[in-house]
Amino acid sequence: MRVQVAIIGSGPAGLLLGQLLHLAGIDAVIVEQRSKEYVLGRIRAGVLEQCMVDMMERAQIAGRLRAEGLVHEGIEILFGGERHRIDLQGLSGKHVTVYGQTEVTRDLMDARAAAGAKSVYEADNVTVHGFDGKRPVVRYRKEGAAHEIECDFIAGCDGFHGVCRPSVPQSAITEHERVYAFGWLGVLADVPPVSEELIYVSHERGFALCSMRSRTRSRYYIQCELDDKVENWPDQLFWAELARRLDDRARSRLVTGPSLEKSIAPLRSYVAEPMRFGRLLLAGDAAHIVPPTGAKGLNLAASDVHYLSNALIEYYRSGKTSALDAYSGQCLRRVWQAVRFSWWMTNLLHLFPENGSFGRKIQCAEFDYLMNSRAAGTSLAENYVGLPY
Ligand code: APR
Ligand code: PHB
């Protein structure tokens, strides 16, 4: 096969890039190691920045998002028993939209299928070659047979555990990482949310988050030990622990029910620099990971794709490489802003026993400042709704 762009990975980054390139008349294939059903079965975050919603409009896949997405003009923080609302709309002039990543993925897959664009699912042993020269190649096996794709560019959209980043010589890449000593235990359930808006909770027993996917489906998280197992958390125990971390108002509105999904995710901040190696360009989780506290993972994947699609479109329209040359620097600037914000929110809201009473006092002072300073609230709001592209 010969294409202009070979996209590795069919997560939101790969699919969104595929859609924008398709609309621009650029020939691309998506090569994914898993099945479509497996990709759609993964439960991930669900808060979209305004810029990402605008991108979905541009990608002509925003119909269902417009109809079903929930506009949220604020978030709540429950800190040591005290509630404080951050008026996102009032402080930043923007809102966020609650719409699950799974739904974004589904909309993009449907659009791709309708367009008849090329996709290979269940590709085994995907490898990438020759991206330091002019003729990169992607190889994979499917149903026992070997396949080869020749292309102009490889887009590495294959997530944190993908093959693209490890294919770059170690000496060409610099990694920056912070691993946190705890995880998030998440439960998805068909129960109405406790509140109209998300509640981020800092409690002496640990962090909790009340989120949602719709008016009838809730997503809850509690901070847990890194080596904890979901088997240790039968539904009843989860609901009881969540309830303990809420205030009376939320507790009285908490509706429990059987979990549809339950999983533990570790928290990590990670950035690999640069994001371009010759004709291999990384985007999304393949290049960076943020802890979920700021809801930035999906949104960062979208902003990378914004810069990458524009750069490739400029290249194919005019032959100019200036946007491709600027890609890594442009992405990383925004990435580091989101990494900083996610790290800051994680530090503010989680239990860090190793930081002792000093650490807790600093968190309390930070929250006090947030409650009483419009400038501090504005800073949170403008980062939460997303810095401009
Ligand atoms: N070959 C082909 N595909 C691969 C390979 C490989 N060797 N390794 C991984 N993949 C696929 C994965 O199966 C997955 O479908 O690449 C895809 C990467 O998708 P995501 O992990 O969703 O990453 P991304 O598209 O960058 O989206 C970022 O998703 O992971 C969340 O929290 C993250 O919300 C953020 C968003
Ligand atoms: C979610 O709904 O899964 C979610 C929402 C906000 C976050 C993280 C996850 O910060």
Side-chain angles (χ1 to χ4, degrees), residues 11-320:
L15 285 164
L16 194 52
L17 179 64
Q19 175 70 1
L20 292 169
L21 295 184
H22 167 73
L23 292 175
I26 296 169
D27 185 29
V29 62
I30 292 185
V31 182
E32 161 66 51
Q33 67 177 0
R34 304 284 190 174
S35 69
K36 254 187 179 184
E37 297 67 36
Y38 181 95
V39 174
L40 283 172
R42 290 189 298 226
I43 306 295
R44 298 259 176 86
V47 177
L48 311 190
E49 296 172 351
Q50 187 57 49
C51 282
M52 173 156 186
V53 171
D54 295 345
M55 260 188 95
M56 292 192 43
E57 290 284 0
R58 190 180 133 210
Q60 301 178 12
I61 53 140
R64 209 156 61 90
L65 166 65
R66 231 178 286 130
E68 297 174 19
L70 303 174
V71 169
H72 281 209
E73 297 193 342
I75 55 168
E76 293 212 272
I77 299 183
L78 170 58
F79 190 100
E82 221 175 325
R83 273 225 214 179
H84 177 63
R85 179 171 188 266
I86 304 285
D87 178 5
L88 299 174
Q89 186 70 47
L91 291 166
S92 73
K94 293 187 196 157
H95 58 255
V96 292
T97 303
V98 169
Y99 189 70
Q101 177 169 327
T102 313
E103 306 313 316
V104 173
T105 307
R106 192 187 307 279
D107 295 342
L108 283 162
M109 279 183 177
D110 288 351
R112 193 164 181 83
K118 291 184 274 266
S119 311
V120 181
Y121 284 89
E122 298 178 83
D124 293 325
N125 297 329
V126 177
T127 54
V128 293
H129 310 268
F131 48 83
D132 46 351
K134 281 214 151 76
R135 291 254 166 259
V137 168
V138 176
R139 299 202 180 99
Y140 65 94
R141 298 188 71 82
K142 172 131 181 156
E143 286 151 8
H147 298 266
E148 191 168 288
I149 303 170
E150 281 179 29
C151 55
D152 301 332
F153 296 99
I154 299 173
C157 303
D158 50 348
F160 186 63
H161 300 287
V163 67
C164 291
R165 195 182 67 249
S167 303
V168 175
Q170 198 64 57
S171 58
I173 211 162
T174 308
E175 296 174 296
H176 309 275
E177 185 171 49
R178 161 124 335 155
V179 176
Y180 302 87
F182 43 78
W184 278 18
L185 168 63
V187 158
L188 186 71
D190 271 333
V191 292
V194 283
S195 174
E196 304 289 301
E197 295 180 339
L198 270 60
I199 311 177
Y200 287 85
V201 186
S202 169
H203 188 273
E204 60 187 20
R205 297 179 64 83
F207 171 84
L209 171 60
C210 307
S211 181
M212 66 192 76
R213 291 289 175 274
S214 69
R215 292 199 173 84
T216 56
R217 182 169 283 191
S218 299
R219 179 70 165 161
Y220 292 106
Y221 299 94
I222 54 174
Q223 179 181 351
C224 66
E225 300 290 324
L226 202 49
D227 56 0
D228 214 336
K229 300 272 173 287
V230 283
E231 298 76 53
N232 298 336
W233 290 95
D235 288 357
Q236 269 192 329
L237 209 60
F238 176 86
W239 293 119
E241 182 57 35
L242 174 67
R244 292 179 78 162
R245 298 184 190 187
L246 303 180
D247 60 358
D248 287 342
R249 180 149 54 110
R251 214 172 1 250
S252 69
R253 290 184 59 181
L254 181 64
V255 183
T256 64
S259 58
L260 302 172
E261 193 262 4
K262 194 186 286 160
S263 53
I264 293 179
L267 270 70
R268 183 196 297 269
S269 304
Y270 172 90
V271 182
E273 296 183 328
M275 288 172 60
R276 175 189 174 188
F277 308 89
R279 287 175 173 258
L280 169 66
L281 301 117
L282 303 180
D285 278 17
H288 43 71
I289 294 282
V290 287
T293 326
K296 289 287 166 243
L298 174 59
N299 292 297
L300 269 189
S303 62
D304 290 354
V305 167
H306 165 82
Y307 297 122
L308 183 50
S309 58
N310 284 349
L312 289 168
I313 290 168
E314 181 182 293
Y315 174 81
Y316 283 110
R317 288 213 177 126
S318 68
K320 284 200 207 129

